[in-house]
Amino acid sequence: MNSRTLDTSPSAGPAAALDTASACWLKTLDRLERTTVADPAIRVVQRGVRSLPLGGMRDLLRGRPLGHPLHPVLVQVPVGCRLSASVLDFVPRTHHAATPLTAVGLAGVAPAAVAGWVDWADLPPEQARVGLAHAASNVVALACYTASLTARLRGNSAKGRLWALGGMAAVAVIGALGGHVAYRQAVGAHAAT
């Protein structure tokens, strides 16, 4: 982490505000990495996922044939659909097109989640803790987008757009947590078979 002193005065400008927000975020993640309160549950769930009789599917879900994890590839469908739906929600006379994108985004969650859980099951504690927060944030996004699709299908597009905005906020947190695990905590690829 950056060791310089942060200037949080109003005259410091947007760069100082960004530095402050970044420092807060990283401090929160550092605390999350160190907290052990969920460790017993994490160990049980990791053992459960590892014990699933997936056979050769486990290597495929982990991306071994690709030489890198499959999860980041699969998340492109739900994230891309959600972002596209949000854009269409604010373009005049196109918000109706956001409904099928929201549905496809929801359908794309399951394959991405399965691959993510298989990867997560082998993570060490610090990474597993952040990964669990990543998964919990995904549950929030899933709930928001399910509510959004339900509202849209019932003809309440304004309510659907509001739920989608909440879901997009959760997606931002999901991406930040996933990026933290992948890059700052340096979760790498599994050896190719």
Side-chain angles (χ1 to χ4, degrees):
M1 187 146 68
N2 199 337
S3 62
R4 67 186 166 113
T5 304
L6 298 175
D7 181 0
T8 58
S9 67
S11 63
L18 185 57
D19 283 347
T20 301
S22 175
C24 258
W25 174 252
L26 292 174
K27 183 185 278 188
T28 299
L29 290 175
D30 288 342
R31 285 185 187 138
L32 178 59
E33 290 172 13
R34 288 189 308 269
T35 187
T36 59
V37 69
D39 284 2
I42 287 172
R43 284 190 293 275
V44 167
V45 175
Q46 283 182 318
R47 273 194 305 270
V49 171
R50 284 192 304 265
S51 71
L52 292 173
L54 297 175
M57 280 297 290
R58 185 175 309 278
D59 280 347
L60 180 63
L61 289 168
R62 293 187 70 183
R64 282 204 168 115
L66 299 173
H68 60 79
L70 185 59
H71 176 70
V73 175
L74 295 176
V75 300
Q76 301 308 307
V77 172
V79 172
C81 288
R82 291 165 174 172
L83 182 58
S84 297
S86 290
V87 168
L88 292 175
D89 275 341
F90 292 97
V91 174
R93 296 180 301 281
T94 63
H95 66 85
H96 63 281
T99 301
L101 284 169
T102 302
V104 171
L106 284 168
V109 167
V114 170
W117 281 108
V118 169
D119 283 339
W120 175 83
D122 292 321
L123 294 179
E126 295 80 13
Q127 295 165 342
R129 293 172 192 136
V130 178
L132 187 61
H134 174 77
S137 300
N138 269 291
V139 171
V140 172
L142 182 63
C144 288
Y145 281 103
T146 300
S148 174
L149 181 61
T150 301
R152 291 170 195 274
L153 292 174
R154 290 182 177 163
N156 193 340
S157 61
K159 193 175 193 178
R161 287 193 297 267
L162 285 174
W163 276 112
L165 283 174
M168 188 51 65
V171 167
V173 173
I174 292 164
L177 290 167
H180 181 79
V181 171
Y183 297 107
R184 190 159 188 249
Q185 291 184 319
V187 170
H190 303 288
T193 55

